[in-house]
Amino acid sequence: MRPPRSVRPASRVRLHPLGDTALLAELGTRLDTALNTRAIALATALKKRRDVRQAVAGYAGVTVHFDPDQTTHETLGAAIKRLAAKRPPMAEPGRLHRIPVVYAGPDLEEVAARLNLTRETIAELHSKPIYRVFLVGFVPGWAYLGPLPEELELPRRQVPRTQVPAGSVAIAGRQTGIYPLPTPGGWHLIGRTSVKLFLPDRDPPCLFRAGDRVKFFAANL
Amino acid sequence: MLRVLEPGLFTTVQDLGRPNAIASGVPPGGAMDRFAHRAANLLVGNSEGDATLECTLTGPHLLAERSCVVAIAGAEFEIRINGQVAPTWTGIFLGKGDHLAFGARRSGGRAYVAVAGGIQADRWLGSASTNLMAARGGMNGRNMKAGDQIGVAREASRPAVSGHHLPKRLHPDYGNHTLAAVVGPHLKRLDPDSRGLLFKAAFKVSREADRMGYRLDGPRLGTSGDELLSFGLTAGAVQVPHGGQAILLMADHQTAGGYPVVATVVSASMPVAAQLVPGDELHFAEVTLDRAHQMRLSLANALDTLREPAR
């Protein structure tokens, strides 16, 4: 269990233009649940603005797409600083998803050897935490989940695969995720799931949203 | 309304994209050259957000099964109607049974065909743009093939008028392959030599160039620093992955990533970027946000001339 967090002073926001119609508001540079919670709250607040077309929360910042005919980087930047200085509203706990995984991915053997763990221990360690959805993006339905237990930390594969099957459960660094579609990928494939993450006929078209919680459990075929 | 006799290399339905879907990891999509897309629509009396056909490198051959007004803008192709050369950037009338054929491409990579009333298409997440990965939007989520029938979204409230024209002096400067760009959030991660090269060196569009983005041949750009945490991306961003080969993100870009973004091409230069083809050389020129704003207004003013009544 985490100790109760003391109220920390609002850190400075760093604003970077992304061309003339978007900007990146950086709240920090660490993989940190509190920062991510603030980023999601900031994105939610910004989306309500008339001049904002879309605001996407990243791990520790927000990418804001705006209408340049309605605002400027300065005006929006001032609003972002104001919003970021406010204490974020109490974060909702996020929906909990339970995802069955068959721990028999093509990289499981190699990961076990490199980490000097048994396959069973890997499954146990991977399915133990309740992960947080830090960010949805990259390809449709992909979600960056974490933090992964330190014991499972590995750098990405040297040579990425050109095609990873949909439903592959993968790890890299302190992150884990599920490939929603067949795509190229450089993460280690330790398992697979039948749960569909990309739901093209729903709106929003993905199962996970930023701030949701995910618990994996070992399943048989 | 229009029958596809030959589809061309890669012809898809596009509009102004689906910005709301990026929070779900779905690329924004939409026309690569928004200026040409908007101009084509305005030339036939449509709204600028109506769906058009985006034709890539080789264009289609279409048969008008009913009379209609169309306009073609963007890349310069030789266009023939029943064998007679027809103008581009101009509203043109097609009678029932007329053949519209794209011929040789003279410059640019993508042309847009607008039809008065707008092209009827599947909508997905608020846009008619074709998304091949999800197989949604446009023509059943795929590119055009021979035999497809292209319908019109709505009957025009007043008859569409042919003869509207956008003179060349009001087009983006497509022949000038210098892309105006604003310094990106991670420019400082470039080593000093690479920082000097970014706005000086010539880059070339490689063969790995599609609607997602262009890998650029040119100097290898060295970066340093810890891995970045992933963040939301935008079209026009110039990413530098580990190998040092820069990537210019285009309309169907990945919505998030963790590679340094060292510059972002401004919106007014994106139509020029959209018309680049593999082998084309390009430069990045650093501009201020004020300059980017002026450039954007200048293109918007050019399009506004099409909202005025025709003489």
Side-chain angles (χ1 to χ4, degrees), chain A residues 140 181 198-202 205, chain B residues 12-14 18 26-27 29-30 121-143 252:
Chain A
L181 293 165
F198 177 51
L199 308 163
D201 295 315
R202 283 205 218 157
Chain B
T12 57
V13 175
Q14 299 294 341
R18 45 180 69 85
V26 174
D122 299 343
R123 294 186 72 79
W124 182 55
L125 304 174
S127 162
S129 292
T130 309
N131 183 301
L132 294 183
M133 201 193 287
R136 292 293 190 285
M139 176 61 80
N140 304 320
R142 58 167 172 76
N143 49 324
D252 279 341

PDB file of all heavy atoms in Angstrom, chain A residues 140 181 198-202 205, chain B residues 12-14 18 26-27 29-30 121-143 252:
ATOM      1  N   PRO A 140      -4.847   2.374 -32.968  1.00  0.00           N
ATOM      2  CA  PRO A 140      -6.191   2.332 -32.385  1.00  0.00           C
ATOM      3  C   PRO A 140      -6.326   1.281 -31.284  1.00  0.00           C
ATOM      4  O   PRO A 140      -6.058   0.111 -31.502  1.00  0.00           O
ATOM      5  CB  PRO A 140      -7.079   1.988 -33.582  1.00  0.00           C
ATOM      6  CG  PRO A 140      -6.337   2.498 -34.766  1.00  0.00           C
ATOM      7  CD  PRO A 140      -4.885   2.319 -34.435  1.00  0.00           C
ATOM      8  N   LEU A 181      -4.187  -4.665 -32.662  1.00  0.00           N
ATOM      9  CA  LEU A 181      -4.275  -4.965 -34.099  1.00  0.00           C
ATOM     10  C   LEU A 181      -2.931  -5.555 -34.507  1.00  0.00           C
ATOM     11  O   LEU A 181      -1.930  -5.310 -33.846  1.00  0.00           O
ATOM     12  CB  LEU A 181      -4.488  -3.669 -34.898  1.00  0.00           C
ATOM     13  CG  LEU A 181      -5.805  -2.926 -34.728  1.00  0.00           C
ATOM     14  CD1 LEU A 181      -5.686  -1.527 -35.297  1.00  0.00           C
ATOM     15  CD2 LEU A 181      -6.921  -3.681 -35.434  1.00  0.00           C
ATOM     16  N   PHE A 198      -9.772  -3.023 -29.499  1.00  0.00           N
ATOM     17  CA  PHE A 198     -10.223  -2.040 -30.488  1.00  0.00           C
ATOM     18  C   PHE A 198     -11.627  -2.431 -30.901  1.00  0.00           C
ATOM     19  O   PHE A 198     -11.849  -3.534 -31.404  1.00  0.00           O
ATOM     20  CB  PHE A 198      -9.263  -2.026 -31.674  1.00  0.00           C
ATOM     21  CG  PHE A 198      -9.700  -1.096 -32.772  1.00  0.00           C
ATOM     22  CD1 PHE A 198     -10.033   0.222 -32.491  1.00  0.00           C
ATOM     23  CD2 PHE A 198      -9.769  -1.532 -34.090  1.00  0.00           C
ATOM     24  CE1 PHE A 198     -10.442   1.086 -33.495  1.00  0.00           C
ATOM     25  CE2 PHE A 198     -10.172  -0.666 -35.099  1.00  0.00           C
ATOM     26  CZ  PHE A 198     -10.508   0.639 -34.801  1.00  0.00           C
ATOM     27  N   LEU A 199     -12.582  -1.539 -30.658  1.00  0.00           N
ATOM     28  CA  LEU A 199     -13.997  -1.819 -30.911  1.00  0.00           C
ATOM     29  C   LEU A 199     -14.503  -0.783 -31.907  1.00  0.00           C
ATOM     30  O   LEU A 199     -15.070   0.243 -31.524  1.00  0.00           O
ATOM     31  CB  LEU A 199     -14.769  -1.724 -29.588  1.00  0.00           C
ATOM     32  CG  LEU A 199     -14.168  -2.576 -28.454  1.00  0.00           C
ATOM     33  CD1 LEU A 199     -14.690  -2.138 -27.100  1.00  0.00           C
ATOM     34  CD2 LEU A 199     -14.454  -4.055 -28.690  1.00  0.00           C
ATOM     35  N   PRO A 200     -14.250  -1.019 -33.188  1.00  0.00           N
ATOM     36  CA  PRO A 200     -14.496   0.034 -34.177  1.00  0.00           C
ATOM     37  C   PRO A 200     -15.948   0.497 -34.254  1.00  0.00           C
ATOM     38  O   PRO A 200     -16.198   1.612 -34.685  1.00  0.00           O
ATOM     39  CB  PRO A 200     -14.056  -0.607 -35.504  1.00  0.00           C
ATOM     40  CG  PRO A 200     -13.989  -2.069 -35.248  1.00  0.00           C
ATOM     41  CD  PRO A 200     -13.708  -2.239 -33.788  1.00  0.00           C
ATOM     42  N   ASP A 201     -16.889  -0.332 -33.798  1.00  0.00           N
ATOM     43  CA  ASP A 201     -18.282   0.088 -33.932  1.00  0.00           C
ATOM     44  C   ASP A 201     -18.838   0.706 -32.658  1.00  0.00           C
ATOM     45  O   ASP A 201     -20.040   0.880 -32.518  1.00  0.00           O
ATOM     46  CB  ASP A 201     -19.127  -1.095 -34.417  1.00  0.00           C
ATOM     47  CG  ASP A 201     -18.681  -1.499 -35.823  1.00  0.00           C
ATOM     48  OD1 ASP A 201     -18.490  -0.585 -36.647  1.00  0.00           O
ATOM     49  OD2 ASP A 201     -18.459  -2.695 -36.072  1.00  0.00           O
ATOM     50  N   ARG A 202     -17.940   1.015 -31.724  1.00  0.00           N
ATOM     51  CA  ARG A 202     -18.355   1.764 -30.542  1.00  0.00           C
ATOM     52  C   ARG A 202     -17.689   3.125 -30.554  1.00  0.00           C
ATOM     53  O   ARG A 202     -16.694   3.329 -31.220  1.00  0.00           O
ATOM     54  CB  ARG A 202     -17.916   1.020 -29.274  1.00  0.00           C
ATOM     55  CG  ARG A 202     -18.801  -0.152 -28.959  1.00  0.00           C
ATOM     56  CD  ARG A 202     -18.702  -0.411 -27.469  1.00  0.00           C
ATOM     57  NE  ARG A 202     -18.701  -1.844 -27.211  1.00  0.00           N
ATOM     58  CZ  ARG A 202     -18.193  -2.374 -26.111  1.00  0.00           C
ATOM     59  NH1 ARG A 202     -17.612  -1.611 -25.200  1.00  0.00           N
ATOM     60  NH2 ARG A 202     -18.256  -3.661 -25.918  1.00  0.00           N
ATOM     61  N   PRO A 205     -13.950   4.084 -29.627  1.00  0.00           N
ATOM     62  CA  PRO A 205     -13.769   2.751 -30.206  1.00  0.00           C
ATOM     63  C   PRO A 205     -12.718   1.897 -29.498  1.00  0.00           C
ATOM     64  O   PRO A 205     -12.095   1.057 -30.130  1.00  0.00           O
ATOM     65  CB  PRO A 205     -13.334   3.076 -31.636  1.00  0.00           C
ATOM     66  CG  PRO A 205     -12.596   4.349 -31.501  1.00  0.00           C
ATOM     67  CD  PRO A 205     -13.266   5.124 -30.388  1.00  0.00           C
TER      68      PRO A 205
ATOM     69  N   THR B  12      -8.804   7.295 -52.418  1.00  0.00           N
ATOM     70  CA  THR B  12      -9.630   7.114 -51.220  1.00  0.00           C
ATOM     71  C   THR B  12     -10.534   8.322 -51.018  1.00  0.00           C
ATOM     72  O   THR B  12     -10.265   9.407 -51.517  1.00  0.00           O
ATOM     73  CB  THR B  12      -8.770   6.962 -49.944  1.00  0.00           C
ATOM     74  OG1 THR B  12      -7.928   8.102 -49.811  1.00  0.00           O
ATOM     75  CG2 THR B  12      -7.929   5.695 -49.984  1.00  0.00           C
ATOM     76  N   VAL B  13     -11.603   8.122 -50.259  1.00  0.00           N
ATOM     77  CA  VAL B  13     -12.476   9.222 -49.850  1.00  0.00           C
ATOM     78  C   VAL B  13     -11.843   9.883 -48.630  1.00  0.00           C
ATOM     79  O   VAL B  13     -11.397   9.191 -47.706  1.00  0.00           O
ATOM     80  CB  VAL B  13     -13.884   8.695 -49.501  1.00  0.00           C
ATOM     81  CG1 VAL B  13     -14.754   9.817 -48.948  1.00  0.00           C
ATOM     82  CG2 VAL B  13     -14.535   8.048 -50.720  1.00  0.00           C
ATOM     83  N   GLN B  14     -11.769  11.212 -48.649  1.00  0.00           N
ATOM     84  CA  GLN B  14     -11.217  11.945 -47.509  1.00  0.00           C
ATOM     85  C   GLN B  14     -12.034  13.207 -47.266  1.00  0.00           C
ATOM     86  O   GLN B  14     -12.647  13.751 -48.188  1.00  0.00           O
ATOM     87  CB  GLN B  14      -9.753  12.349 -47.763  1.00  0.00           C
ATOM     88  CG  GLN B  14      -8.781  11.187 -47.975  1.00  0.00           C
ATOM     89  CD  GLN B  14      -8.583  10.300 -46.754  1.00  0.00           C
ATOM     90  OE1 GLN B  14      -8.883  10.703 -45.616  1.00  0.00           O
ATOM     91  NE2 GLN B  14      -8.095   9.080 -46.977  1.00  0.00           N
ATOM     92  N   ARG B  18     -10.932  13.163 -38.431  1.00  0.00           N
ATOM     93  CA  ARG B  18     -11.676  12.902 -37.199  1.00  0.00           C
ATOM     94  C   ARG B  18     -10.805  13.232 -35.986  1.00  0.00           C
ATOM     95  O   ARG B  18     -10.317  12.328 -35.281  1.00  0.00           O
ATOM     96  CB  ARG B  18     -12.152  11.437 -37.168  1.00  0.00           C
ATOM     97  CG  ARG B  18     -11.141  10.383 -37.565  1.00  0.00           C
ATOM     98  CD  ARG B  18     -11.723   8.973 -37.498  1.00  0.00           C
ATOM     99  NE  ARG B  18     -12.709   8.708 -38.496  1.00  0.00           N
ATOM    100  CZ  ARG B  18     -12.465   8.297 -39.749  1.00  0.00           C
ATOM    101  NH1 ARG B  18     -11.217   8.082 -40.145  1.00  0.00           N
ATOM    102  NH2 ARG B  18     -13.447   8.079 -40.592  1.00  0.00           N
ATOM    103  N   VAL B  26      -6.873   6.525 -32.653  1.00  0.00           N
ATOM    104  CA  VAL B  26      -7.241   6.472 -34.069  1.00  0.00           C
ATOM    105  C   VAL B  26      -6.641   7.691 -34.777  1.00  0.00           C
ATOM    106  O   VAL B  26      -6.843   8.822 -34.330  1.00  0.00           O
ATOM    107  CB  VAL B  26      -8.775   6.456 -34.242  1.00  0.00           C
ATOM    108  CG1 VAL B  26      -9.168   6.538 -35.702  1.00  0.00           C
ATOM    109  CG2 VAL B  26      -9.366   5.206 -33.596  1.00  0.00           C
ATOM    110  N   PRO B  27      -5.880   7.467 -35.867  1.00  0.00           N
ATOM    111  CA  PRO B  27      -5.273   8.597 -36.559  1.00  0.00           C
ATOM    112  C   PRO B  27      -6.331   9.596 -37.015  1.00  0.00           C
ATOM    113  O   PRO B  27      -7.442   9.196 -37.356  1.00  0.00           O
ATOM    114  CB  PRO B  27      -4.590   7.973 -37.783  1.00  0.00           C
ATOM    115  CG  PRO B  27      -4.643   6.514 -37.602  1.00  0.00           C
ATOM    116  CD  PRO B  27      -5.617   6.197 -36.508  1.00  0.00           C
ATOM    117  N   GLY B  29      -6.513  11.273 -39.747  1.00  0.00           N
ATOM    118  CA  GLY B  29      -6.865  11.057 -41.149  1.00  0.00           C
ATOM    119  C   GLY B  29      -7.238  12.350 -41.843  1.00  0.00           C
ATOM    120  O   GLY B  29      -6.877  13.440 -41.407  1.00  0.00           O
ATOM    121  N   GLY B  30      -7.989  12.232 -42.925  1.00  0.00           N
ATOM    122  CA  GLY B  30      -8.400  13.394 -43.690  1.00  0.00           C
ATOM    123  C   GLY B  30      -7.449  13.673 -44.829  1.00  0.00           C
ATOM    124  O   GLY B  30      -6.399  13.050 -44.959  1.00  0.00           O
ATOM    125  N   ALA B 121     -20.500   8.854 -48.553  1.00  0.00           N
ATOM    126  CA  ALA B 121     -19.506   7.920 -48.024  1.00  0.00           C
ATOM    127  C   ALA B 121     -19.926   7.432 -46.655  1.00  0.00           C
ATOM    128  O   ALA B 121     -20.736   8.065 -45.980  1.00  0.00           O
ATOM    129  CB  ALA B 121     -18.149   8.621 -47.928  1.00  0.00           C
ATOM    130  N   ASP B 122     -19.349   6.295 -46.249  1.00  0.00           N
ATOM    131  CA  ASP B 122     -19.563   5.798 -44.892  1.00  0.00           C
ATOM    132  C   ASP B 122     -18.922   6.778 -43.923  1.00  0.00           C
ATOM    133  O   ASP B 122     -17.791   7.206 -44.145  1.00  0.00           O
ATOM    134  CB  ASP B 122     -18.869   4.442 -44.690  1.00  0.00           C
ATOM    135  CG  ASP B 122     -19.381   3.376 -45.622  1.00  0.00           C
ATOM    136  OD1 ASP B 122     -20.468   3.581 -46.190  1.00  0.00           O
ATOM    137  OD2 ASP B 122     -18.692   2.347 -45.783  1.00  0.00           O
ATOM    138  N   ARG B 123     -19.636   7.090 -42.874  1.00  0.00           N
ATOM    139  CA  ARG B 123     -19.040   7.930 -41.834  1.00  0.00           C
ATOM    140  C   ARG B 123     -18.639   7.051 -40.663  1.00  0.00           C
ATOM    141  O   ARG B 123     -19.320   6.090 -40.326  1.00  0.00           O
ATOM    142  CB  ARG B 123     -20.032   9.003 -41.378  1.00  0.00           C
ATOM    143  CG  ARG B 123     -20.356  10.011 -42.467  1.00  0.00           C
ATOM    144  CD  ARG B 123     -21.226  11.136 -41.938  1.00  0.00           C
ATOM    145  NE  ARG B 123     -20.477  12.034 -41.063  1.00  0.00           N
ATOM    146  CZ  ARG B 123     -19.655  12.982 -41.520  1.00  0.00           C
ATOM    147  NH1 ARG B 123     -19.475  13.139 -42.819  1.00  0.00           N
ATOM    148  NH2 ARG B 123     -19.009  13.761 -40.682  1.00  0.00           N
ATOM    149  N   TRP B 124     -17.507   7.379 -40.075  1.00  0.00           N
ATOM    150  CA  TRP B 124     -17.027   6.641 -38.904  1.00  0.00           C
ATOM    151  C   TRP B 124     -16.411   7.643 -37.947  1.00  0.00           C
ATOM    152  O   TRP B 124     -15.540   8.431 -38.354  1.00  0.00           O
ATOM    153  CB  TRP B 124     -15.995   5.580 -39.330  1.00  0.00           C
ATOM    154  CG  TRP B 124     -15.484   4.755 -38.189  1.00  0.00           C
ATOM    155  CD1 TRP B 124     -16.224   4.045 -37.299  1.00  0.00           C
ATOM    156  CD2 TRP B 124     -14.105   4.558 -37.826  1.00  0.00           C
ATOM    157  NE1 TRP B 124     -15.399   3.408 -36.403  1.00  0.00           N
ATOM    158  CE2 TRP B 124     -14.096   3.699 -36.703  1.00  0.00           C
ATOM    159  CE3 TRP B 124     -12.891   5.003 -38.344  1.00  0.00           C
ATOM    160  CZ2 TRP B 124     -12.912   3.296 -36.074  1.00  0.00           C
ATOM    161  CZ3 TRP B 124     -11.713   4.601 -37.729  1.00  0.00           C
ATOM    162  CH2 TRP B 124     -11.725   3.749 -36.606  1.00  0.00           C
ATOM    163  N   LEU B 125     -16.882   7.647 -36.713  1.00  0.00           N
ATOM    164  CA  LEU B 125     -16.380   8.554 -35.684  1.00  0.00           C
ATOM    165  C   LEU B 125     -16.351   9.996 -36.184  1.00  0.00           C
ATOM    166  O   LEU B 125     -15.379  10.716 -36.019  1.00  0.00           O
ATOM    167  CB  LEU B 125     -14.989   8.108 -35.209  1.00  0.00           C
ATOM    168  CG  LEU B 125     -14.891   6.670 -34.681  1.00  0.00           C
ATOM    169  CD1 LEU B 125     -13.441   6.316 -34.379  1.00  0.00           C
ATOM    170  CD2 LEU B 125     -15.748   6.481 -33.431  1.00  0.00           C
ATOM    171  N   GLY B 126     -17.441  10.370 -36.846  1.00  0.00           N
ATOM    172  CA  GLY B 126     -17.614  11.769 -37.222  1.00  0.00           C
ATOM    173  C   GLY B 126     -16.945  12.205 -38.504  1.00  0.00           C
ATOM    174  O   GLY B 126     -16.880  13.392 -38.784  1.00  0.00           O
ATOM    175  N   SER B 127     -16.440  11.256 -39.301  1.00  0.00           N
ATOM    176  CA  SER B 127     -15.759  11.651 -40.531  1.00  0.00           C
ATOM    177  C   SER B 127     -15.956  10.599 -41.611  1.00  0.00           C
ATOM    178  O   SER B 127     -16.092   9.412 -41.327  1.00  0.00           O
ATOM    179  CB  SER B 127     -14.260  11.825 -40.250  1.00  0.00           C
ATOM    180  OG  SER B 127     -13.516  11.795 -41.445  1.00  0.00           O
ATOM    181  N   ALA B 128     -15.943  11.069 -42.860  1.00  0.00           N
ATOM    182  CA  ALA B 128     -16.057  10.159 -43.998  1.00  0.00           C
ATOM    183  C   ALA B 128     -14.688   9.671 -44.471  1.00  0.00           C
ATOM    184  O   ALA B 128     -14.598   8.890 -45.421  1.00  0.00           O
ATOM    185  CB  ALA B 128     -16.774  10.867 -45.150  1.00  0.00           C
ATOM    186  N   SER B 129     -13.620  10.117 -43.831  1.00  0.00           N
ATOM    187  CA  SER B 129     -12.271   9.732 -44.268  1.00  0.00           C
ATOM    188  C   SER B 129     -12.065   8.223 -44.166  1.00  0.00           C
ATOM    189  O   SER B 129     -12.522   7.586 -43.220  1.00  0.00           O
ATOM    190  CB  SER B 129     -11.222  10.438 -43.411  1.00  0.00           C
ATOM    191  OG  SER B 129     -11.249  11.815 -43.690  1.00  0.00           O
ATOM    192  N   THR B 130     -11.350   7.698 -45.148  1.00  0.00           N
ATOM    193  CA  THR B 130     -11.089   6.259 -45.210  1.00  0.00           C
ATOM    194  C   THR B 130      -9.991   5.904 -44.221  1.00  0.00           C
ATOM    195  O   THR B 130      -8.920   6.513 -44.227  1.00  0.00           O
ATOM    196  CB  THR B 130     -10.621   5.885 -46.628  1.00  0.00           C
ATOM    197  OG1 THR B 130     -11.555   6.423 -47.571  1.00  0.00           O
ATOM    198  CG2 THR B 130     -10.528   4.371 -46.798  1.00  0.00           C
ATOM    199  N   ASN B 131     -10.254   4.933 -43.351  1.00  0.00           N
ATOM    200  CA  ASN B 131      -9.212   4.397 -42.477  1.00  0.00           C
ATOM    201  C   ASN B 131      -9.021   2.933 -42.831  1.00  0.00           C
ATOM    202  O   ASN B 131      -9.866   2.090 -42.517  1.00  0.00           O
ATOM    203  CB  ASN B 131      -9.597   4.560 -41.001  1.00  0.00           C
ATOM    204  CG  ASN B 131      -8.493   4.073 -40.075  1.00  0.00           C
ATOM    205  OD1 ASN B 131      -8.086   2.919 -40.126  1.00  0.00           O
ATOM    206  ND2 ASN B 131      -7.993   4.956 -39.240  1.00  0.00           N
ATOM    207  N   LEU B 132      -7.916   2.644 -43.508  1.00  0.00           N
ATOM    208  CA  LEU B 132      -7.690   1.283 -44.001  1.00  0.00           C
ATOM    209  C   LEU B 132      -7.454   0.301 -42.868  1.00  0.00           C
ATOM    210  O   LEU B 132      -7.883  -0.848 -42.932  1.00  0.00           O
ATOM    211  CB  LEU B 132      -6.485   1.258 -44.944  1.00  0.00           C
ATOM    212  CG  LEU B 132      -6.616   2.008 -46.279  1.00  0.00           C
ATOM    213  CD1 LEU B 132      -5.360   1.815 -47.088  1.00  0.00           C
ATOM    214  CD2 LEU B 132      -7.825   1.547 -47.069  1.00  0.00           C
ATOM    215  N   MET B 133      -6.756   0.740 -41.819  1.00  0.00           N
ATOM    216  CA  MET B 133      -6.425  -0.166 -40.721  1.00  0.00           C
ATOM    217  C   MET B 133      -7.698  -0.695 -40.068  1.00  0.00           C
ATOM    218  O   MET B 133      -7.813  -1.874 -39.762  1.00  0.00           O
ATOM    219  CB  MET B 133      -5.560   0.557 -39.702  1.00  0.00           C
ATOM    220  CG  MET B 133      -4.757  -0.366 -38.821  1.00  0.00           C
ATOM    221  SD  MET B 133      -4.047   0.499 -37.410  1.00  0.00           S
ATOM    222  CE  MET B 133      -2.750   1.437 -38.180  1.00  0.00           C
ATOM    223  N   ALA B 134      -8.663   0.196 -39.863  1.00  0.00           N
ATOM    224  CA  ALA B 134      -9.913  -0.207 -39.232  1.00  0.00           C
ATOM    225  C   ALA B 134     -10.951  -0.649 -40.259  1.00  0.00           C
ATOM    226  O   ALA B 134     -11.997  -1.156 -39.891  1.00  0.00           O
ATOM    227  CB  ALA B 134     -10.462   0.956 -38.405  1.00  0.00           C
ATOM    228  N   ALA B 135     -10.631  -0.454 -41.547  1.00  0.00           N
ATOM    229  CA  ALA B 135     -11.582  -0.755 -42.627  1.00  0.00           C
ATOM    230  C   ALA B 135     -12.915  -0.050 -42.388  1.00  0.00           C
ATOM    231  O   ALA B 135     -13.986  -0.651 -42.464  1.00  0.00           O
ATOM    232  CB  ALA B 135     -11.768  -2.269 -42.786  1.00  0.00           C
ATOM    233  N   ARG B 136     -12.819   1.243 -42.067  1.00  0.00           N
ATOM    234  CA  ARG B 136     -14.021   2.039 -41.814  1.00  0.00           C
ATOM    235  C   ARG B 136     -13.914   3.369 -42.565  1.00  0.00           C
ATOM    236  O   ARG B 136     -12.828   3.873 -42.823  1.00  0.00           O
ATOM    237  CB  ARG B 136     -14.173   2.342 -40.318  1.00  0.00           C
ATOM    238  CG  ARG B 136     -14.479   1.117 -39.439  1.00  0.00           C
ATOM    239  CD  ARG B 136     -15.860   0.544 -39.733  1.00  0.00           C
ATOM    240  NE  ARG B 136     -16.254  -0.463 -38.774  1.00  0.00           N
ATOM    241  CZ  ARG B 136     -15.780  -1.711 -38.736  1.00  0.00           C
ATOM    242  NH1 ARG B 136     -14.859  -2.102 -39.585  1.00  0.00           N
ATOM    243  NH2 ARG B 136     -16.228  -2.575 -37.834  1.00  0.00           N
ATOM    244  N   GLY B 137     -15.078   3.948 -42.841  1.00  0.00           N
ATOM    245  CA  GLY B 137     -15.140   5.257 -43.476  1.00  0.00           C
ATOM    246  C   GLY B 137     -14.959   5.180 -44.978  1.00  0.00           C
ATOM    247  O   GLY B 137     -14.401   4.223 -45.511  1.00  0.00           O
ATOM    248  N   GLY B 138     -15.465   6.207 -45.670  1.00  0.00           N
ATOM    249  CA  GLY B 138     -15.276   6.294 -47.117  1.00  0.00           C
ATOM    250  C   GLY B 138     -16.049   5.228 -47.856  1.00  0.00           C
ATOM    251  O   GLY B 138     -17.229   4.996 -47.608  1.00  0.00           O
ATOM    252  N   MET B 139     -15.381   4.578 -48.794  1.00  0.00           N
ATOM    253  CA  MET B 139     -16.000   3.513 -49.581  1.00  0.00           C
ATOM    254  C   MET B 139     -15.725   2.190 -48.871  1.00  0.00           C
ATOM    255  O   MET B 139     -14.683   1.565 -49.078  1.00  0.00           O
ATOM    256  CB  MET B 139     -15.413   3.516 -51.007  1.00  0.00           C
ATOM    257  CG  MET B 139     -15.881   2.393 -51.921  1.00  0.00           C
ATOM    258  SD  MET B 139     -17.652   2.352 -52.248  1.00  0.00           S
ATOM    259  CE  MET B 139     -17.830   3.612 -53.523  1.00  0.00           C
ATOM    260  N   ASN B 140     -16.623   1.803 -47.965  1.00  0.00           N
ATOM    261  CA  ASN B 140     -16.490   0.549 -47.206  1.00  0.00           C
ATOM    262  C   ASN B 140     -15.109   0.399 -46.572  1.00  0.00           C
ATOM    263  O   ASN B 140     -14.593  -0.715 -46.441  1.00  0.00           O
ATOM    264  CB  ASN B 140     -16.751  -0.668 -48.104  1.00  0.00           C
ATOM    265  CG  ASN B 140     -18.117  -0.596 -48.774  1.00  0.00           C
ATOM    266  OD1 ASN B 140     -19.087  -0.192 -48.144  1.00  0.00           O
ATOM    267  ND2 ASN B 140     -18.177  -0.946 -50.046  1.00  0.00           N
ATOM    268  N   GLY B 141     -14.497   1.505 -46.209  1.00  0.00           N
ATOM    269  CA  GLY B 141     -13.214   1.451 -45.512  1.00  0.00           C
ATOM    270  C   GLY B 141     -12.045   1.023 -46.373  1.00  0.00           C
ATOM    271  O   GLY B 141     -11.019   0.607 -45.846  1.00  0.00           O
ATOM    272  N   ARG B 142     -12.174   1.136 -47.690  1.00  0.00           N
ATOM    273  CA  ARG B 142     -11.089   0.698 -48.574  1.00  0.00           C
ATOM    274  C   ARG B 142     -10.858   1.727 -49.670  1.00  0.00           C
ATOM    275  O   ARG B 142     -11.596   2.706 -49.794  1.00  0.00           O
ATOM    276  CB  ARG B 142     -11.427  -0.663 -49.188  1.00  0.00           C
ATOM    277  CG  ARG B 142     -12.722  -0.653 -49.981  1.00  0.00           C
ATOM    278  CD  ARG B 142     -12.881  -1.905 -50.829  1.00  0.00           C
ATOM    279  NE  ARG B 142     -14.194  -1.991 -51.436  1.00  0.00           N
ATOM    280  CZ  ARG B 142     -14.595  -1.284 -52.489  1.00  0.00           C
ATOM    281  NH1 ARG B 142     -13.791  -0.397 -53.064  1.00  0.00           N
ATOM    282  NH2 ARG B 142     -15.807  -1.432 -52.975  1.00  0.00           N
ATOM    283  N   ASN B 143      -9.784   1.500 -50.454  1.00  0.00           N
ATOM    284  CA  ASN B 143      -9.573   2.379 -51.594  1.00  0.00           C
ATOM    285  C   ASN B 143     -10.490   1.949 -52.748  1.00  0.00           C
ATOM    286  O   ASN B 143     -11.025   0.842 -52.753  1.00  0.00           O
ATOM    287  CB  ASN B 143      -8.093   2.431 -52.001  1.00  0.00           C
ATOM    288  CG  ASN B 143      -7.465   1.066 -52.136  1.00  0.00           C
ATOM    289  OD1 ASN B 143      -7.786   0.159 -51.389  1.00  0.00           O
ATOM    290  ND2 ASN B 143      -6.594   0.905 -53.106  1.00  0.00           N
ATOM    291  N   ASP B 252      -2.280  10.335 -41.457  1.00  0.00           N
ATOM    292  CA  ASP B 252      -2.631   9.092 -40.761  1.00  0.00           C
ATOM    293  C   ASP B 252      -1.564   8.691 -39.742  1.00  0.00           C
ATOM    294  O   ASP B 252      -1.302   7.510 -39.523  1.00  0.00           O
ATOM    295  CB  ASP B 252      -2.829   7.952 -41.776  1.00  0.00           C
ATOM    296  CG  ASP B 252      -4.202   7.992 -42.431  1.00  0.00           C
ATOM    297  OD1 ASP B 252      -5.106   8.639 -41.884  1.00  0.00           O
ATOM    298  OD2 ASP B 252      -4.362   7.369 -43.506  1.00  0.00           O
TER     299      ASP B 252
END
